[in-house]
Amino acid sequence: MTTTVTKTINPAGGGGGYDYSSWNAWIADCPADLRAGSGTDQIWLGIGSGAISSAANILTVSGILQDATHYVHASAADLGVVTALRFDSANGHTISCTGSYVNIILNSSSFTRFSNLQIEGTDTSVFGARPPILDNVGAAGVLLIDKCILETEKTPCVDIYGSSQEINNSLCVVRGADRLVIANLKNGAQATNTAFVVPSDKTPATTAFFGSYATAILKNCPIFGVVALSTGTAPTYTTCFNDLGSPPSGVTQVTYDTSLFNNITNATRDFRIPIGSALRDAGTTDVPNAGTDIVGKTRASGTFDVGPWEYPDDVTVDVVGARIVASGGLFLWPTIGAFGERDIVLLPPVSSSIISMEVPVPSLPVPVTIIAMGTPEADNSIIDLYPPGTVPLVDVAVSLTGLSVTVGQGAFAFDIAQALTGMSVTATGGVLVPSTAVTLTGMSATATGGVLVPSTAVTLVGQAATASQGVMVPALALAFTGQAATATGGVLVPATAVALLGQAATVSKGDLTVELAIPMVGQVATTGQGVFSFSGNVDQALTGMAATVSGGLLVPEVSGVLVGQSASATGGTMVPSLVVPLVGMSALTTGGVLVPNLSTSLVGMVATTGQGVFVFGVVGALVGQSISVAQGALSPALAIPLVGRSITITRGAFSFAGDMIVNVTGVFATGLVGPVVTLGAAREYDLWVNTTVLDLVVVVSPQEAFAILASTDSTVVTLSDEAYVSGAVPDLVA
Amino acid sequence: MEILIPVVASGAAVDCWKPGDLIDYHPDGHSWTVRERTNPNWRIIQVDVLQTTLDALADQPVPQLGVTKRVREWGLNLSLLPDPSLFIGARTQEIISLTRKQCTDAIVKKP
């Protein structure tokens, strides 16, 4: 009985626990006769892993007696293609040979097989470059190359000879300059579902194939980036594709662009096919040679795709109450609200993910069509429906209890007409749009990397909404109690028309926009990076509200009394607009812009800017106000006297204008330069503080503008309530 | 550099691996596998040879379709090495050390 002797090959050798450090060591240890009877009755299988790079010959298979069922087979676990179909050391096992005049793989023994190998020859010399796999068996020899990626700079990707030598489900790319031929298919050699291409941004090859003696046979092969199809003996073609005019029989002309393959430029080449490719379902079924594609997927039950990559079939199933679990695809459910036929469409994902969705099931069996679309990650979709046809029926038109909906990437939308209890909705990387018209209890909605748009028309109790990355737009028309809304890296836009009690809104990165029409009690709004704004519709008292901006824009707009409000901008811009008295308000800008706009009295207000700009306008009395600028600019506009005010500037600019008489005392590092310090008619005073240690008193008349520009790091300017002391100003002029 | 060579032919075919053919080479200290260290038909030689020497030992004849005479164009003539007994029979040491001259003196081009 034939046994398969499997050995592992990896350049890490014994350090990685492998059997051989190199392919040549593996083949040199192969029995001389693998056949039954005369030999060991074995298949000598090598499984390579890791990335092998060498300037010397990688593998020479010669002197071994084989037959159709006892053979040498150099392979790897699989190509591991997860991102793009091309030679890529990030995927599977790769062999890269930099040598010139070196046979990367030389086969001189009939019946040898190669599969799942990525082989690259980087030699660019005209005569020195050799094909990744050079067969030297001769016309009577048998050779199979299957599911391989063969790339070269100049020389043909493969050189096979004889009607029993085949290359199937493989990708051959020549990507250097001045190349002549993509493949030598001689004396009846065969190629099935193998792509022969030159990237679109490279000079086309002179010809795709060189043939001699018997006619080579090509089936389901895309051939692009060439000036001519063949030289020498012309092959016969069956359902092949090419972009040249007047194609021969069996070749269909089609434009070489990204509608055909995912990417055709050299640096980012990806020769998988997209959903709408002309190569899809355009081939000829050939199960013996191409039953599985280059990554091992079973090809479509109907007509095969052209080329190494098979796009998956549409799958149509009848769901009579089921839970659907799919990986690698995306869901769009556009007609969930209506009973009858429903479509679930797997959309192009950004990366592989797992989608788990429990489907609410109507009272009658509903046919569901699941269609795999888009980029080939969806090809790995696994769709399980269970338990088949036996799940208790649930009517979508009534209550859903314990429903869980998760969207990894893509879009998920549903309409719900009645009560939802305990529903959990999550969008990891797409769009989630639940629409609910009635009471939601205990619902939680999360959008990690996409768009979440729950629309609720009635009372929400205990609802939590979170957008980690992306956009979340819950619209709420009625009372919220205990609601928490968080946007970590996206946009959160809850719109609320009624009372909010204990609501907390947080934006770490992104935008948070809330609209409030009635009183807010105990509300806390925080934005880490991004924009937080609430506007317009707050015309009543806000009590205990706190607003914080760490790194973005905070724009609260309040038109009624604020009591105990605090606003903080750490690294962005905060623009609270207040038209009524503020009591006990504190505003802090650590590293951004803070622009409170105050039109009435401020009592006990504290304004601080750490880094950035702090601007506020005050038209009424300020009593006991303290202003500090650490770095940046602070520009309060004051229309009335200031009493007991203190201003400190560490670095930056401080300016204000208004009716005031102030006493300025400053301690400056060194000299004082007063380029524009003018008393009198101009009513404009600028102190240019440079390096002088100064104890300065300035008398400012009403309506005069006054600005201090601190140009050193250590400048400290203190305005005290000794506002009527005079006498120092002339010295400044001097 | 450490090189791996067979000391007996891998088969009877004219184009099988022959004694003294270069199978593989790695820098000193390579973690050879158990099979590579214990195969009685192989030897590991530590020798400070130049890359050009390795290139020559790895060189292959230009293939003639259907006619492959040998795996390597050059090889070590084991009988020319200082202690040929090390290359006969079972392995007596895991790695054999040679000087560059000892090695290059034994390199021959095959007929």
Side-chain angles (χ1 to χ4, degrees):
Chain A
M1 179 179 177
T2 303
T3 57
T4 299
V5 180
T6 303
K7 302 294 184 183
T8 56
I9 298 94
N10 186 290
Y18 300 99
D19 293 317
Y20 303 99
S21 302
S22 66
W23 280 103
N24 270 333
W26 166 73
I27 199 63
D29 208 18
C30 177
D33 188 350
L34 292 172
R35 298 170 299 179
S38 61
T40 55
D41 194 8
Q42 291 175 336
I43 295 171
W44 189 251
L45 174 62
I47 301 296
S49 60
I52 293 178
S53 181
S54 173
N57 163 247
I58 300 290
L59 171 62
T60 296
V61 183
S62 63
I64 300 171
L65 298 175
Q66 313 177 54
D67 60 28
T69 54
H70 307 84
Y71 48 84
V72 169
H73 187 181
S75 186
D78 58 55
L79 287 174
V81 175
V82 294
T83 55
L85 186 61
R86 63 168 183 262
F87 181 93
D88 186 351
S89 59
N91 298 334
H93 174 50
T94 55
I95 295 171
S96 182
C97 184
T98 59
S100 188
Y101 295 96
V102 169
N103 303 315
I104 304 171
I105 291 180
L106 174 62
N107 179 63
S108 300
S109 186
S110 190
F111 296 103
T112 303
R113 299 185 181 193
F114 301 96
S115 66
N116 294 342
L117 301 178
Q118 297 184 66
I119 310 170
E120 173 193 55
T122 62
D123 182 34
T124 59
S125 61
V126 175
F127 301 108
R130 300 273 173 82
I133 297 179
L134 178 61
D135 188 65
N136 201 39
V137 176
V142 178
L143 173 73
L144 176 60
I145 301 170
D146 190 31
K147 301 177 179 57
C148 289
I149 296 174
L150 309 175
E151 297 198 354
T152 69
E153 287 292 320
K154 187 173 293 291
T155 191
C157 292
V158 66
D159 190 334
I160 54 179
Y161 185 99
S163 59
S164 296
Q165 302 197 9
E166 303 175 13
I167 179 168
N168 300 331
N169 308 296
S170 295
L171 172 65
C172 294
V173 184
V174 181
R175 50 190 170 84
D178 305 324
R179 86 287 306 149
L180 298 175
V181 179
I182 299 179
N184 289 335
L185 304 177
K186 297 178 287 191
N187 199 18
Q190 301 185 40
T192 303
N193 280 91
T194 294
F196 300 92
V197 292
V198 173
S200 62
D201 53 343
K202 295 292 184 180
T203 304
T206 304
T207 183
F209 309 111
F210 171 73
S212 61
Y213 302 105
T215 302
I217 298 172
L218 289 100
K219 182 188 297 179
N220 300 342
C221 296
I223 308 153
F224 292 98
V226 297
V227 176
L229 278 174
S230 68
T231 185
T233 306
T236 60
Y237 304 95
T238 302
T239 52
C240 294
F241 282 72
N242 176 256
D243 57 345
L244 300 176
S246 303
S249 175
V251 177
T252 300
Q253 184 183 14
V254 63
T255 303
Y256 183 32
D257 59 21
T258 53
S259 69
L260 212 58
F261 298 105
N262 283 352
N263 197 311
I264 58 175
T265 55
N266 185 49
T268 53
R269 64 197 182 280
D270 178 6
F271 292 101
R272 297 177 293 182
I273 61 175
I275 176 72
S277 174
L279 305 178
R280 191 177 182 208
D281 296 335
T284 300
T285 299
D286 184 348
V287 174
N289 291 313
T292 54
D293 77 349
I294 192 168
V295 292
K297 293 194 307 289
T298 300
R299 289 192 184 269
S301 54
T303 307
F304 284 9
D305 294 347
V306 170
W309 187 268
E310 181 75 16
Y311 207 94
D313 271 348
D314 292 355
V315 179
T316 301
V317 294
D318 288 340
V319 177
V320 186
R323 180 181 177 202
I324 297 177
V325 178
S327 63
L330 305 177
F331 281 100
L332 177 63
W333 196 347
T335 59
I336 186 77
F339 295 150
E341 190 166 287
R342 301 178 180 184
D343 295 327
I344 298 175
V345 181
L346 303 180
L347 293 174
V350 176
S351 62
S352 296
S353 61
I354 295 176
I355 299 167
S356 175
M357 182 167 70
E358 287 187 359
V359 181
V361 181
S363 56
L364 296 173
V366 176
V368 175
T369 301
I370 300 172
I371 305 172
M373 297 177 63
T375 56
E377 282 84 358
D379 294 356
N380 297 321
S381 298
I382 299 171
I383 302 170
D384 295 326
L385 303 174
Y386 60 89
T390 59
V391 170
L393 302 179
V394 178
D395 192 335
V396 176
V398 295
S399 298
L400 296 173
T401 301
L403 176 87
S404 172
V405 179
T406 302
V407 175
Q409 291 177 355
F412 174 46
F414 59 91
D415 287 322
I416 297 169
Q418 296 194 24
L420 298 174
T421 302
M423 185 174 76
S424 168
V425 180
T426 302
T428 302
V431 180
L432 179 65
V433 189
S435 176
T436 57
V438 294
T439 302
L440 297 174
T441 301
M443 183 177 80
S444 74
T446 302
T448 301
V451 180
L452 176 65
V453 189
S455 177
T456 57
V458 294
T459 303
L460 296 173
V461 178
Q463 185 196 46
T466 303
S468 295
Q469 292 179 353
V471 180
M472 176 158 64
V473 189
L476 310 171
L478 293 173
F480 275 38
T481 302
Q483 185 197 45
T486 303
T488 302
V491 179
L492 177 64
V493 188
T496 57
V498 294
L500 297 173
L501 298 178
Q503 184 196 46
T506 302
V507 175
S508 294
K509 292 179 178 179
D511 300 339
L512 174 64
T513 303
V514 292
E515 286 189 19
L516 310 171
I518 59 171
M520 306 181 72
V521 178
Q523 185 193 47
V524 177
T526 303
T527 182
Q529 293 180 354
V531 178
F532 172 38
S533 62
F534 55 93
S535 61
N537 298 327
V538 181
D539 53 8
Q540 298 188 29
L542 296 174
T543 302
M545 184 177 77
T548 302
V549 175
S550 296
L553 178 64
L554 177 64
V555 190
E557 191 172 300
V558 293
S559 59
V561 178
L562 297 175
V563 178
Q565 184 195 49
S566 75
S568 173
T570 302
T573 302
M574 177 159 64
V575 189
S577 177
L578 309 172
V579 296
V580 295
L582 297 174
V583 178
M585 184 178 79
S586 73
L588 171 65
T589 301
T590 303
V593 180
L594 177 64
V595 188
N597 191 5
L598 310 173
S599 60
T600 60
S601 297
L602 297 174
V603 178
M605 183 176 78
V606 177
T608 304
T609 181
Q611 293 179 351
V613 180
F614 177 32
V615 181
F616 59 89
V618 180
V619 297
L622 297 174
V623 178
Q625 185 192 45
S626 171
I627 300 174
S628 173
V629 177
Q631 291 183 353
L634 177 65
S635 301
L638 308 173
I640 58 173
L642 299 172
V643 177
R645 188 173 58 164
S646 170
I647 301 174
T648 300
I649 303 175
T650 300
R651 176 190 296 181
F654 168 50
S655 63
F656 58 85
D659 282 346
M660 65 192 77
I661 299 174
V662 296
N663 178 4
V664 179
T665 60
V667 179
F668 305 97
T670 52
L672 171 68
V673 178
V676 183
V677 180
T678 304
L679 294 174
R683 296 181 181 276
E684 181 175 326
Y685 302 86
D686 292 331
L687 269 62
W688 183 264
V689 179
N690 192 358
T691 56
T692 301
V693 176
L694 176 66
D695 186 2
L696 173 66
V697 177
V698 179
V699 177
V700 183
S701 298
Q703 304 301 324
E704 291 175 338
F706 185 89
I708 299 173
L709 305 177
S711 61
T712 64
D713 293 350
S714 59
T715 301
V716 176
V717 179
T718 301
L719 279 66
S720 73
D721 60 358
E722 297 173 1
Y724 299 96
V725 177
S726 62
V729 173
D731 292 336
L732 290 175
V733 176
Chain B
M1 193 65 67
E2 294 174 358
I3 66 177
L4 178 68
I5 64 168
V7 295
V8 297
S10 62
V14 65
D15 56 345
C16 71
W17 293 82
K18 297 296 187 348
D21 283 347
L22 177 66
I23 296 176
D24 192 15
Y25 63 88
H26 291 280
D28 291 345
H30 173 66
S31 179
W32 295 99
T33 69
V34 172
R35 297 184 69 85
E36 290 162 342
R37 286 185 281 110
T38 61
N39 188 325
N41 296 328
W42 292 353
R43 298 291 187 274
I44 297 170
I45 300 172
Q46 193 281 322
V47 57
D48 180 24
V49 292
L50 301 176
Q51 182 63 45
T52 51
T53 304
L54 294 171
D55 292 342
L57 288 171
D59 194 24
Q60 294 183 311
V62 176
Q64 295 175 279
L65 187 60
V67 181
T68 302
K69 293 181 178 179
R70 62 191 80 91
V71 176
R72 295 288 185 245
E73 189 83 322
W74 300 74
L76 287 173
N77 184 333
L78 303 181
S79 66
L80 298 179
L81 292 172
D83 187 357
S85 65
L86 291 174
F87 303 93
I88 300 172
R91 296 170 85 150
T92 57
Q93 49 189 282
E94 190 165 285
I95 296 179
I96 300 168
S97 293
L98 295 177
T99 67
R100 181 183 299 175
K101 187 175 188 307
Q102 289 170 336
C103 180
T104 53
D105 284 350
I107 294 175
V108 296
K109 187 171 185 177
K110 296 177 181 177

